[in-house]
Amino acid sequence: MKPTYFYILILGLLFGFSCSSEDDSTSNEPEPEAVYFPPINSDNWETTSISELNWNENELQPLLDFLEEKNSKSFIILHNGKIVQEHYFNGHQNSTLWYWASAGKTLTTAVAGIAQEHGLIDINNKVSDYLGTGWTSASMEKENLITCEHLLSMTSGLDDTLGDDVSASNLQYVADAGNRWAYHNVYVKLQDIVAEASNTTWNNYFNTNLRDKIGMTGNWIDIGSLSVYASTTRSMARFGLLSYANGKWEDLQILNENYLAQATNTSQDINLAYGYLWWLNGKSTYHLPQSQVEFLGQLIPNAPSDMYAALGKNDQKIYVVPSKKLVIVRMGQSADDDNFALSNFDNELWLKINALIN
């Protein structure tokens, strides 16, 4: 019997060694490529090529021709943080500042999240906790229903037909907060909330806690009662990259990952294609500004279903596509004389992008 035990022992050792070797080979597989971040204090930015990514180079020129024809000023594609394509059109240069329009709403989303992480605000609290009562013309009972989250999700219940003026007299009650989705510039009250809670100005808090930490340039420009952000195209791409990297810049977690996940997923049950001031693709229905109509289908059918986007007037755009490791920025004038942030241009553009990347 002893030889039998000996053979069993030898077989066991051989089998164990074999398993161990397989485990070792598995552990030696290359790790996924880390996200690249450009330096904070430099405009140097690593690149990768279309050929390295095995994209269809023959489709690049048709994409660029389309962008130029459609009044674009600039266009950048990042793959895992590195620049694949960067182009400027119609007299625009890489150092030229251009406005983000409503695409800049997502900057307010980010800063509100940072302020919450700092313990300065809680988005579940009433707006009146920070601004006092009387910031709308609604009754105190109805005003006190409105939380900071309602501003982020466009569900304040305030009248969206009275223009950009967000003074109290123009913020009139239409429905209880949370019961009606309406695209409304009342979101800018979040900037007042952050300024009040941080005991500084919105600009100072934004610059210190977001802009400067990721190497952005640019400034807020007052237009009437609203502030609009203007920057270089690369600065817009830096913010898109921060969002793609789940709120992290190199080893620094600037924006809470769970908060960003909330911001880039459906925020309420009325407009499924809207998060916290981010537009979401891949949902079964969507609503558009100045309308209470529910439309069937995806927001941008040609775009990947996991894409989320910052969209601004005259087709200012940041597209973030985690599944494709992409951040895409387009700045310019209106592509088709359609002033709203979302138009058929998005779908046409994605048809061209798909031809390039697939």
Side-chain angles (χ1 to χ4, degrees):
M1 298 296 290
K2 287 183 179 179
T4 302
Y5 288 125
F6 176 77
Y7 293 138
I8 291 172
L9 176 62
I10 294 298
L11 287 171
L13 289 171
L14 288 171
F15 181 75
F17 178 78
S18 175
C19 290
S20 174
S21 299
E22 288 179 8
D23 288 345
D24 289 344
S25 65
T26 301
S27 65
N28 289 331
E29 289 180 359
E31 294 184 0
E33 183 185 1
V35 178
Y36 167 78
F37 298 94
I40 297 296
N41 298 315
S42 168
D43 207 31
N44 292 330
W45 200 314
E46 286 189 17
T47 63
T48 189
S49 69
I50 287 177
S51 59
E52 287 176 292
L53 297 172
N54 293 315
W55 290 359
N56 187 351
E57 194 155 6
N58 292 332
E59 297 297 334
L60 175 61
Q61 195 57 51
L63 168 62
L64 299 180
D65 291 344
F66 174 76
L67 286 162
E68 186 166 19
E69 173 193 336
K70 293 295 185 177
N71 306 316
S72 301
K73 295 287 188 182
S74 57
F75 184 75
I76 287 180
I77 301 179
L78 306 183
H79 183 270
N80 217 31
K82 294 181 181 180
I83 293 176
V84 188
Q85 291 294 309
E86 180 179 20
H87 298 275
Y88 297 90
F89 314 91
N90 300 308
H92 202 77
Q93 298 179 349
N94 61 1
S95 60
T96 307
L97 301 185
W98 194 255
Y99 63 97
W100 292 35
S102 285
K105 285 180 168 66
T106 54
L107 295 171
T108 300
T109 299
V111 173
I114 293 169
Q116 178 167 260
E117 191 68 10
H118 289 169
L120 299 175
I121 70 170
D122 184 332
I123 65 169
N124 297 303
N125 287 349
K126 303 190 301 291
V127 174
S128 56
D129 287 347
Y130 305 100
L131 301 184
T133 58
W135 66 275
T136 74
S137 64
S139 68
M140 187 178 299
E141 176 191 2
K142 298 303 185 182
E143 183 178 279
N144 281 336
L145 296 176
I146 305 171
T147 66
C148 298
E149 186 177 28
H150 289 132
L151 301 186
L152 288 166
S153 60
M154 295 289 184
T155 55
S156 67
L158 298 170
D159 192 344
D160 58 310
T161 66
L162 299 176
D164 292 339
D165 186 354
V166 291
S167 59
S169 61
N170 254 27
L171 298 178
Q172 298 178 13
Y173 171 86
V174 173
D176 283 2
N179 291 322
R180 181 176 183 267
W181 186 89
Y183 196 77
H184 199 307
N185 280 323
V186 70
Y187 83 92
V188 298
K189 292 295 181 182
L190 284 163
Q191 298 176 6
D192 297 334
I193 289 167
V194 170
E196 184 71 26
S198 63
N199 198 30
T200 185
T201 65
W202 164 257
N203 281 354
N204 286 343
Y205 192 84
F206 169 83
N207 292 346
T208 302
N209 294 285
L210 179 58
R211 187 192 72 172
D212 297 348
K213 286 192 174 181
I214 65 173
M216 289 173 64
T217 59
N219 293 289
W220 293 89
I221 302 169
D222 290 333
I223 301 177
S225 60
L226 299 178
S227 287
V228 177
Y229 199 68
S231 79
T232 63
T233 310
R234 283 193 174 195
S235 287
M236 203 178 200
R238 282 175 181 264
F239 179 67
L241 179 56
L242 175 71
S243 303
Y244 166 74
N246 298 316
K248 198 171 186 178
W249 195 271
E250 295 183 324
D251 295 327
L252 182 62
Q253 192 73 44
I254 293 173
L255 185 57
N256 181 279
E257 187 172 352
N258 291 331
Y259 174 84
L260 183 59
Q262 282 180 269
T264 54
N265 281 281
T266 302
S267 58
Q268 27 62 51
D269 59 7
I270 305 168
N271 185 357
L272 302 184
Y274 208 71
Y276 290 166
L277 309 179
W278 284 96
W279 291 91
L280 317 174
N281 205 39
K283 308 304 177 184
S284 58
T285 61
Y286 62 92
H287 285 237
L288 293 176
Q290 285 77 58
S291 171
Q292 292 298 306
V293 177
E294 183 177 82
F295 297 91
L296 296 177
Q298 295 191 44
L299 194 69
I300 305 173
N302 285 334
S305 59
D306 67 323
M307 185 201 75
Y308 57 94
L311 301 175
K313 180 179 178 180
N314 295 330
D315 293 308
Q316 319 310 321
K317 303 179 186 302
I318 306 173
Y319 301 123
V320 181
V321 189
S323 63
K324 301 286 188 180
K325 302 182 179 180
L326 295 177
V327 173
I328 299 175
V329 170
R330 186 270 184 188
M331 285 180 148
Q333 295 170 330
S334 175
D336 292 306
D337 296 322
D338 186 344
N339 286 333
F340 174 54
L342 183 73
S343 67
N344 195 53
F345 170 66
D346 292 87
N347 218 33
E348 293 175 352
L349 177 56
W350 268 102
L351 192 64
K352 302 288 186 184
I353 294 170
N354 286 335
L356 175 68
I357 68 175
N358 292 329

